[in-house]
Amino acid sequence: MGIGERSVPYEEAWAEQQRLHELRVADEIPDTVLLLEHQPVYTAGKRTNPEDYPLDGTPVVQVNRGGEITWHGPGQLVGYPIVKLPDPIDVVAYVRRLEEALIRACGEVGIATTRVEGRSGVWKLGEEIPGAVVDPSEVVEIGKLTLRMGLPLGIDPRLAGPEYAPSNAGQRGDDRKLAAIGVRVARGVTMHGFALNCDPDMTWFDRIVPCGIRDAGVGSISSELGRDFGVAAALPVVERHLREVLAELPEPALAR
């Protein structure tokens, strides 16, 4: 939709999402993904806590996606898939597909990333601390899901398993989130999506508590590689892996 000098104001992209969403619900268009770079903006999902907002009063756009507060702007590749999900609707499985596409894209450019249990998005794990022992007081067991570092209760227990690294309880250095994910599904069709940090000015994140997470950091492809890697370079890589992963979705039934 536009990157670099053609970066897109948030309100313009939001209006286009809504337009395409209506068309996809009516089966008038196929699944569609908007890929773009935003002009600087803070957006807050429905679960954002007041204490996570910018302390200096910087304006924040309220949005109807899941997740909490984040920043979008130059140096960040944003994707808004407008995709009809098959019945029965499984939002967690869809989020996992977005994560998988971005994990594959990061791997292609030389960064090994993973999921972290109880936390959506794509993560670069901190370095293991030799001899570190998990503090039992920081661990809460809920069925098969182990929550660490005081994570809130009520997280879907499927956000655990061999593909998820255990959340950090002091056994490694700070984890860094390279890609944030926040989605909404209305009438069976997705909105909002993901934001992959390529080479943004990371100080934008200093004004907020990104995604409400206080015990981890935010990273970028460039900071992990130690060299510049911009949105234009990431675009074709992400597009290819996103196309592959979303193509694996079962075909939804046609609207009646």
Side-chain angles (χ1 to χ4, degrees):
M1 193 176 176
I3 64 172
E5 294 181 354
R6 296 174 51 242
S7 62
V8 184
Y10 187 84
E11 292 78 4
E12 180 180 331
W14 173 230
E16 181 66 358
Q17 276 196 78
Q18 294 177 88
R19 185 185 74 84
L20 294 174
H21 182 271
E22 291 296 321
L23 294 175
R24 187 66 188 98
V25 167
D27 289 318
E28 295 181 14
I29 60 171
D31 290 339
T32 302
V33 181
L34 299 177
L35 293 171
L36 56 99
E37 194 171 10
H38 273 308
Q39 297 173 11
V41 63
Y42 291 105
T43 69
K46 295 180 290 185
R47 296 192 294 112
T48 303
N49 296 313
E51 60 268 26
D52 297 340
Y53 281 74
L55 295 177
D56 60 4
T58 300
V60 176
V61 177
Q62 305 296 319
V63 294
N64 62 354
R65 59 167 169 78
E68 302 185 39
I69 193 167
T70 194
W71 171 84
H72 298 310
Q76 185 185 76
L77 176 60
V78 175
Y80 295 131
I82 313 298
V83 173
K84 178 165 284 190
L85 297 181
D87 288 325
I89 301 296
D90 189 336
V91 180
V92 172
Y94 168 66
V95 169
R96 281 182 167 180
R97 288 182 184 274
L98 295 185
E99 291 170 341
E100 181 63 26
L102 297 173
I103 287 170
R104 292 181 189 180
C106 288
E108 181 172 325
V109 303
I111 305 171
T113 56
T114 187
R115 302 170 176 89
V116 171
E117 63 178 4
R119 292 179 168 176
S120 65
V122 174
W123 294 83
K124 177 66 177 177
L125 299 185
E127 296 297 322
E128 294 291 329
I129 300 174
V133 177
V134 174
D135 182 353
S137 68
E138 297 284 345
V139 177
V140 178
E141 299 288 349
I142 307 177
K144 295 182 179 179
L145 177 60
T146 301
L147 302 180
R148 297 184 173 88
M149 296 301 288
L151 288 172
L153 305 184
I155 294 174
D156 193 306
R158 290 174 294 172
L159 298 182
E163 69 269 44
Y164 283 83
S167 52
N168 196 350
Q171 76 271 34
R172 58 180 182 262
D174 285 348
D175 298 337
R176 285 94 65 193
K177 180 184 274 192
L178 270 62
I181 294 176
V183 304
R184 171 179 169 81
V185 180
R187 292 181 286 170
V189 175
T190 66
M191 303 179 77
H192 303 288
F194 65 85
L196 175 65
N197 295 328
C198 299
D199 61 346
D201 177 354
M202 301 300 288
T203 62
W204 283 99
F205 292 101
D206 294 342
R207 300 183 187 179
I208 59 173
V209 180
C211 303
I213 298 175
R214 288 174 162 77
D215 53 58
V218 181
S220 69
I221 293 178
S222 293
S223 64
E224 297 298 332
L225 290 177
R227 59 180 175 84
D228 289 340
F229 193 95
V231 171
L235 184 62
V237 180
V238 171
E239 181 177 359
R240 183 171 65 257
H241 288 289
L242 195 62
R243 186 186 301 274
E244 292 171 356
V245 168
L246 292 180
E248 297 168 5
L249 280 169
E251 286 293 325
L254 292 176
R256 292 177 176 84

